[in-house]
Amino acid sequence: MAEAVRENLADTARELEEAVRDVRGYEYAVINDHALFPFKYAGRPRPLDRARLASNASPTRRRMLLGHGPQPQEGLFALSDDLTTEEYEELHETFEALGASTKLVCLFFTADPENGIHAIHWGDAHLEPDRTFTWLYSEQLRVAPQLLE
């Protein structure tokens, strides 16, 4: 379902003559240097603060969230270059396809095939080391009622 949402956002961006960028075979809508990043965090209604990135999530998703998402809030101490690993540096690299200045706008939602989207939120989500998210800003959007066929 998340793939269908991502594709729909890309198609809508094209209709609006906005940018669509390919990141490793997946197209993302980019509007005013903000890439729209849809993420289904549950298959049933769940509060946004329960959202968590799956342990088997692709490195591409992790890199997009870390490289283009908001920077973490100040920690207890700053990491110097000699304390970071090559893997850490790779995760924080930005995708050239999006452009280094492009920021993510996260679109987190819960949905299932029978009921469609239950809830959708947008905002700035920072991926934490434990795969949870810290929201610097979030807002719940209204979900349009589904039309019966």
Side-chain angles (χ1 to χ4, degrees):
M1 188 171 277
E3 186 172 331
V5 170
R6 188 185 39 71
E7 290 172 358
N8 190 333
L9 289 169
D11 291 343
T12 301
R14 280 188 195 88
E15 290 172 13
L16 297 172
E17 298 181 6
E18 294 289 345
V20 174
R21 307 260 172 75
D22 183 283
V23 176
R24 302 214 171 167
Y26 297 100
E27 292 184 324
Y28 290 89
V30 178
I31 300 170
N32 294 330
D33 283 336
H34 289 81
L36 303 182
F37 184 80
F39 177 68
K40 178 182 163 193
Y41 68 92
R44 59 189 166 93
R46 248 190 156 154
L48 181 62
D49 63 0
R50 302 279 309 273
R52 183 179 185 102
L53 190 66
S55 60
N56 63 349
S58 74
T60 300
R61 282 184 164 228
R62 289 178 190 263
R63 277 187 56 204
M64 284 186 73
L65 286 161
L66 292 170
H68 293 279
Q71 296 304 309
Q73 300 206 351
E74 291 296 321
L76 295 175
F77 57 90
L79 286 179
S80 64
D81 290 339
D82 59 328
L83 295 177
T84 62
T85 64
E86 187 175 322
E87 180 181 7
Y88 177 88
E89 294 299 328
E90 285 177 10
L91 284 175
H92 285 79
E93 288 178 8
T94 58
F95 283 99
E96 287 184 27
L98 289 178
S101 65
T102 301
K103 304 290 182 207
L104 282 189
V105 173
C106 293
L107 302 167
F108 280 36
F109 62 96
T110 62
D112 68 71
E114 294 81 34
N115 300 305
I117 294 177
H118 313 125
I120 186 166
H121 304 263
W122 75 276
D124 292 328
H126 172 71
L127 177 62
E128 298 294 343
D130 66 355
R131 301 185 334 267
T132 60
F133 296 90
T134 299
W135 288 86
L136 304 180
Y137 174 82
S138 70
E139 183 178 334
Q140 185 168 357
L141 302 173
R142 284 188 356 181
V143 176
Q146 290 190 355
L147 301 175
L148 298 175
E149 294 180 15

